[in-house]
Amino acid sequence: MHRTNQAANDDVPLKRLQEKETIRIWYSQTPDDICGFYWFCHLLQQWQFSNTVYLLKLPDWEYHDGDHVNVNHLWSEVAPEAFFSYLPLQQVAPPSLIQYYAQCWHTLQEENGSLRAIINNNLLTVPLTFYDFLIIKTFAKFHKPVVEAFVIGKLLSKEAVGIHDTFLHARIQFLLQKKLLKCIEKAEDKPYYDKLLLSDYLM
């Protein structure tokens, strides 16, 4: 749930609430989704409407075709035509639960942190260096120079699901400045992701 031009975005759900529409919140276990979920609960509490609110959280995993297990990360990975099949998983959110999650948003506002992560199923404010060890560990696994874009892709598909690639690139630049990563070859005529990097831990 992106909050760019928040005032304009607020008008749409507010209008639907005034028209007594049912509210359904689709979210996953990524930091961005949980932040958006808390924020919207805060809005619902502010508006004080009595509409029915359904919560529909993306399952962490599910069976497909017999014994095949599919691990889910993001709603964007689900095919549009498959969304209706998740409706039986929705649950009604009582006002007390909306109030609890609204308070979680207030707590995050007070912390005013730059980065949040899911730790033991809890959304926590963490330092900007939080993912640095994962970046270094991923580079070190290859034991040879590797293109930055490839490492970012690995991180986004495994340890850093839901984190923006631009953030990971910024952290890699920081690690280069601190000489924890070493740039072997710069691709001057290619996008900045197309550079060969090597973890300095292997030197």
Side-chain angles (χ1 to χ4, degrees):
M1 184 179 298
H2 300 286
R3 292 174 291 283
T4 305
N5 193 6
Q6 179 173 319
N9 289 343
D10 292 355
D11 290 341
V12 176
L14 179 56
K15 181 180 179 181
R16 292 184 177 181
L17 282 168
Q18 290 170 338
E19 295 172 351
K20 301 300 180 182
E21 286 193 31
T22 297
I23 297 296
R24 182 176 292 109
I25 303 176
W26 304 73
Y27 68 103
S28 67
Q29 192 64 11
T30 62
D32 193 43
D33 270 15
I34 299 298
C35 280
F37 172 46
Y38 289 174
W39 166 76
F40 192 68
C41 288
H42 154 74
L43 290 185
L44 289 173
Q45 186 185 44
Q46 273 192 329
W47 293 333
Q48 296 184 340
F49 283 92
S50 58
N51 305 55
T52 301
V53 177
Y54 289 100
L55 304 182
L56 212 167
K57 181 179 179 293
L58 181 67
D60 293 332
W61 58 271
E62 55 193 321
Y63 283 114
H64 281 292
D65 301 324
D67 60 352
H68 175 68
V69 175
N70 183 50
V71 178
N72 299 315
H73 297 300
L74 304 165
W75 277 112
S76 59
E77 298 171 347
V78 177
E81 62 271 16
F83 269 65
F84 79 94
S85 65
Y86 291 90
L87 289 177
L89 301 179
Q90 68 183 6
Q91 296 180 315
V92 175
S96 58
L97 190 62
I98 298 297
Q99 182 178 8
Y100 169 76
Y101 287 129
Q103 184 56 50
C104 290
W105 176 250
H106 298 156
T107 300
L108 292 178
Q109 285 184 304
E110 291 172 358
E111 293 174 350
N112 196 28
S114 300
L115 182 65
R116 275 112 188 197
I118 301 295
I119 303 175
N120 294 331
N121 283 329
N122 294 310
L123 181 69
L124 301 177
T125 299
V126 296
L128 287 174
T129 57
F130 181 77
Y131 289 99
D132 289 1
F133 82 99
L134 288 174
I135 294 172
I136 293 173
K137 182 187 75 171
T138 304
F139 273 107
K141 284 180 179 178
F142 293 96
H143 301 285
K144 62 180 181 179
V146 61
V147 176
E148 176 184 349
F150 187 74
V151 171
I152 289 177
K154 284 287 186 182
L155 287 164
L156 292 176
S157 65
K158 298 292 183 181
E159 290 93 346
V161 174
I163 300 299
H164 293 286
D165 58 347
T166 51
F167 172 78
L168 294 175
H169 171 69
R171 296 313 304 167
I172 288 172
Q173 298 310 300
F174 173 83
L175 295 172
L176 283 168
Q177 293 172 8
K178 294 295 182 180
K179 301 189 184 304
L180 295 174
L181 289 174
K182 182 177 180 180
C183 184
I184 303 299
E185 177 186 338
K186 293 183 179 180
E188 300 294 346
D189 57 342
K190 295 181 180 180
Y192 53 79
Y193 286 178
D194 287 333
K195 67 176 69 171
L196 292 174
L197 299 172
L198 184 67
S199 169
D200 209 28
Y201 280 74
L202 302 179
M203 301 298 168

